[in-house]
């Protein structure tokens, strides 16, 4: 493909993408295929001779689209949002074209510098403490990761390294292996499984802190566990707090937890993967109070800030804690302006979106989603057959049919089979619960109303059946 054909095909692809997104609600949100469906639709080996581009596009419709779950459909209410917007898509195209691999400042200065400045922009939008802003002289700063899971792993490894050095400084006779065997990390029993996975990769013991009736970790329970573990000769070194848990969007009490972590020399990492975007709105910013105690903080603009995957933003109080833990550079990577390596030019997406929406546009988008969740909550509360299972704070509603777990499992099975709307479940206090998350940029009140009509119709049919 030469530049001329690329121009032509590029315009065609933009049309294809625009048509796809514009008409996405006409497609069944969930695919009607069985595992392994794709293998029989394409050859078993790559072609020896080049294929025709028109045939490839035809095969996108024949092979790919039937197996796509349409995350950007206004009838997609599963998981959490996967943000996208036209400015972000255009920036991603440019990122792909520039194609730099920004592992150092010298590898592509604009890539490194724009990322630092965009994380400062976003940090100021969130009203983060000054020590998280790089500026020109700050000790902290932000960096883009691929996912919140990656941010958790990176910070846990950095905390582990810092803890080992601290213990060895006062006890030089202790070996690294001996110290590592005593290190213990903590997180909520409601935290994402990636925290536990990070501890497995990092070779660190992890303990889950029980939550209160709102599914949040408070200071008293955490303090009690710490005292028991220290008495047993363990070394607490890391706590991952969650703001907006995956299951119910619960918020750990970081104003209570932060001072404990600071006093005990425990690295406090805050994972706000979904909820973090909402903190740009003044009415939600109080949920981030206590951030001043944290050593690191992360959330995913690729969930709820109109920046497509992947763009997970992470800030650290002290850059050297992170850099020192992973510094190992051969001569060919050394450069006088070498402080932190980056990856792809993902900050372009942030720059385009922030400029084309403005802070007010992004705030309006968050508020619209929260309003739609409240609308759905009111529909559920008005129907005596259903119950709300967790406080609705942002764009997630946890609800269920009053009755057995089996009844709710059946309802979800019928919803999935219908392919008209898409939900996923969670478990809260031993109960099977349906999660209804406002996800798509184009979701509106009419989609909420239609989704509820569909749920109540399926409920009516199930309750009419003899065994219910």
């Amino acid at each position: 493909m030469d530049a001329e054909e690329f121009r032509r095909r590029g315009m065609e692809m933009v049309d294809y993408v625009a048509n796809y997104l514009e008409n996405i609600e006409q497609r069944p949100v969930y695919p009607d295929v069985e595992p392994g469906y794709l293998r029989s639709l394409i050859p078993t080996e790559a072609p020896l001779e080049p294929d025709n581009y028109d045939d490839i596009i035809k095969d996108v419709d024949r092979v790919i689209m039937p197996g796509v779950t349409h995350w950007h459909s206004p009838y997609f209410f599963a998981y959490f949002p996967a943000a996208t917007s036209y400015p972000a898509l255009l920036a991603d195209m440019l990122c792909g074209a520039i194609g730099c691999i920004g592992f150092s400042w010298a590898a592509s200065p604009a890539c490194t510098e724009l990322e630092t400045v965009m994380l400062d922009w976003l940090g100021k939008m969130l009203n983060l403490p000054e020590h998280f802003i790089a500026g020109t002289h700050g000790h902290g700063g932000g960096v883009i990761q691929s996912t919140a899971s990656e941010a958790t792993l990176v910070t846990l490894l950095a905390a582990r390294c810092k803890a080992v050095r601290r213990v060895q400084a006062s006890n030089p006779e202790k070996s690294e292996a001996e110290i590592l065997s005593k290190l213990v990390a903590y997180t909520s029993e409601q935290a994402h499984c990636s925290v536990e996975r990070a501890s497995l990769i990092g070779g660190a013991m992890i303990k889950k802190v029980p939550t209160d009736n709102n599914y949040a970790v408070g200071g008293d329970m955490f303090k009690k566990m710490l005292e028991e573990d220290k008495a047993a000769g363990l070394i607490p070194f890391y706590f991952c707090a969650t703001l907006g848990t995956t299951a119910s969007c619960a918020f750990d009490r970081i104003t209570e937890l932060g001072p404990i972590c600071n006093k005990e020399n425990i690295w406090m990492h805050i994972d706000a993967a979904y909820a973090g975007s909402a903190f740009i709105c003044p009415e939600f910013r109080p949920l981030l109070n206590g951030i001043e105690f944290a050593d690191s903080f992360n959330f995913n603009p690729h969930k709820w800030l109109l920046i497509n995957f992947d763009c997970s933003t992470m800030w650290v109080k002290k850059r050297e804690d992170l850099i020192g833990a992973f510094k190992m550079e051969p001569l060919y990577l050394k450069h006088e302006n070498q402080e932190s390596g980056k990856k792809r030019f993902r900050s372009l997406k942030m720059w385009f979106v922030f400029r084309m929406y403005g802070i007010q546009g992004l705030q309006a988008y968050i508020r619209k989603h929260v309003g739609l969740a409240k609308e759905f909550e009111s529909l559920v509360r008005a129907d005596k057959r259903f119950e709300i299972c967790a406080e609705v704070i942002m764009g997630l509603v946890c609800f269920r049919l009053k009755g057995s777990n089996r009844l709710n499992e059946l309802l979800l099975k019928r919803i999935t089979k219908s392919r008209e709307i898409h939900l996923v479940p969670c478990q809260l206090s031993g109960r099977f619960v349906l999660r209804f998350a406002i996800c798509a940029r184009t979701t509106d009140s009419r989609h909420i109303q239609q989704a509820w009509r569909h749920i109540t119709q399926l409920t009516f049919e199930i309750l009419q059946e003899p065994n219910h």
Side-chain angles (χ1 to χ4, degrees):
M1 185 181 287
D2 57 20
E4 193 49 51
E5 188 184 358
F6 174 71
R7 278 193 185 90
R8 183 162 55 87
R9 298 302 192 183
M11 286 187 272
E12 287 172 9
M13 183 56 81
V14 168
D15 273 347
Y16 185 96
V17 168
N19 288 334
Y20 167 72
L21 292 172
E22 209 171 18
N23 302 301
I24 196 167
E25 70 178 90
Q26 314 305 326
R27 297 173 182 263
V29 62
Y30 193 69
D32 185 19
V33 294
E34 295 295 325
Y37 90 96
L38 189 143
R39 188 170 284 277
S40 64
L41 298 178
I42 60 175
T44 54
E45 293 176 6
L48 196 60
E49 299 292 329
D51 268 351
N52 182 288
Y53 181 82
D54 289 322
D55 290 339
I56 295 171
I57 292 301
K58 279 178 196 156
D59 280 349
V60 168
D61 287 322
R62 181 180 69 88
V63 178
I64 303 302
M65 285 302 177
V68 170
T69 300
H70 298 288
W71 280 60
H72 302 290
S73 165
Y75 294 113
F76 182 93
F77 303 108
Y79 314 110
F80 276 130
T84 192
S85 63
Y86 294 120
L89 292 173
L90 291 172
D92 230 9
M93 195 186 294
L94 180 56
C95 169
I98 292 173
C100 64
I101 302 170
F103 46 71
S104 69
W105 181 87
S108 200
C111 178
T112 298
E113 295 196 12
L114 186 65
E115 184 164 323
T116 302
V117 175
M118 286 304 99
L119 271 288
D120 276 4
W121 275 23
L122 185 51
K124 288 171 184 174
M125 285 157 65
L126 296 162
N127 196 19
L128 291 184
E130 190 65 33
H131 56 243
F132 284 116
I133 307 299
T136 49
H137 306 293
H139 294 294
V143 64
I144 299 175
Q145 304 287 348
S146 299
T147 61
S149 306
E150 186 178 296
T152 303
L153 174 61
V154 166
T155 55
L156 182 135
L157 294 174
R160 186 187 71 169
C161 179
K162 194 175 182 181
V164 168
R165 287 174 184 168
R166 187 180 66 247
V167 174
Q168 282 187 326
S170 52
N171 303 274
E173 76 287 353
K174 285 192 188 288
S175 69
E176 186 172 329
E178 188 185 349
I179 297 165
L180 288 174
S181 71
K182 297 275 183 14
L183 292 181
V184 58
Y186 303 85
T187 194
S188 163
E189 63 184 3
Q190 292 288 319
H192 192 268
C193 61
S194 60
V195 185
E196 195 173 356
R197 195 179 302 127
S199 75
L200 285 170
I201 296 168
M205 187 189 325
I206 190 162
K207 297 200 173 186
K208 295 181 181 179
V209 186
T211 57
D212 62 19
N213 292 337
N214 293 314
Y215 306 108
V217 171
D220 291 343
M221 180 58 77
F222 181 46
K223 198 183 286 183
K224 183 171 173 285
M225 287 182 71
L226 285 182
E227 283 163 7
E228 288 171 3
D229 288 343
K230 286 196 299 178
L234 297 176
I235 306 167
F237 80 104
Y238 181 83
F239 178 74
C240 180
T242 307
L243 296 182
T245 58
T246 303
S248 67
C249 201
F251 291 79
D252 288 342
R253 305 188 193 293
I254 56 173
T255 50
E256 297 173 18
L257 299 163
I260 298 169
C261 288
N262 287 184
K263 181 173 176 279
E264 300 287 346
N265 247 328
I266 295 168
W267 181 304
M268 182 164 84
H269 174 64
I270 295 175
D271 174 0
Y274 162 67
S277 297
F279 301 148
I280 67 168
C281 300
E283 65 270 31
F284 292 118
R285 178 57 179 77
L287 290 164
L288 191 56
N289 289 349
I291 181 68
E292 61 274 14
F293 300 111
D295 295 276
S296 53
F297 166 65
N298 163 259
F299 82 96
N300 294 341
H302 67 232
K303 274 194 169 72
W304 208 13
L305 216 54
L306 294 165
I307 296 163
N308 51 302
F309 187 82
D310 59 331
C311 181
S312 184
T313 48
M314 181 181 85
W315 290 263
V316 287
K317 188 179 279 188
K318 293 179 182 170
R319 286 198 299 275
E320 70 263 22
D321 286 346
L322 217 56
I323 297 160
F326 304 109
K327 199 152 189 151
M328 192 183 290
E329 282 134 15
L331 184 63
Y332 56 82
L333 292 185
K334 288 194 186 300
H335 188 274
E336 60 183 329
N337 294 307
Q338 173 80 20
E339 192 176 85
S340 61
K342 304 290 189 279
K343 305 168 200 79
R344 286 174 289 116
F345 209 164
R346 291 175 288 196
S347 54
L348 278 173
K349 297 186 282 195
M350 299 175 74
W351 196 41
F352 275 44
V353 169
F354 294 165
R355 293 181 67 183
M356 293 201 72
Y357 277 87
I359 296 171
Q360 289 180 343
L362 294 170
Q363 288 171 335
Y365 170 69
I366 298 284
R367 286 169 181 147
K368 179 190 169 192
H369 272 201
V370 175
L372 291 171
K374 292 290 185 186
E375 181 180 345
F376 185 78
E377 179 192 12
S378 67
L379 292 169
V380 175
R381 287 194 186 278
D383 191 321
K384 297 295 176 234
R385 297 171 299 177
F386 288 87
E387 59 185 333
I388 295 289
C389 304
E391 188 184 355
V392 179
I393 299 173
M394 292 187 176
L396 174 68
V397 182
C398 292
F399 74 108
R400 72 195 298 275
L401 256 176
K402 290 173 182 172
S404 67
N405 283 346
R406 189 174 154 273
L407 185 64
N408 283 279
E409 285 169 20
L410 180 61
L411 175 58
L412 183 62
K413 201 172 180 180
R414 297 279 174 91
I415 289 169
T416 304
K417 195 176 176 186
S418 74
R419 299 162 59 225
E420 287 192 29
I421 62 173
H422 191 42
L423 311 182
V424 292
C426 68
Q427 194 168 55
L428 295 173
S429 305
R431 296 181 302 169
F432 187 90
V433 172
L434 280 65
R435 293 170 76 264
F436 188 95
I438 311 299
C439 290
R441 178 175 52 85
T442 53
T443 304
D444 234 320
S445 177
R446 67 185 175 88
H447 303 111
I448 302 302
Q449 299 287 338
Q450 174 57 32
W452 181 242
R453 279 194 296 273
H454 184 61
I455 291 166
T456 52
Q457 177 60 38
L458 291 175
T459 299
F460 175 76
E461 290 169 11
I462 288 168
L463 295 178
Q464 291 295 104
E465 292 168 7
N467 52 340
H468 299 299

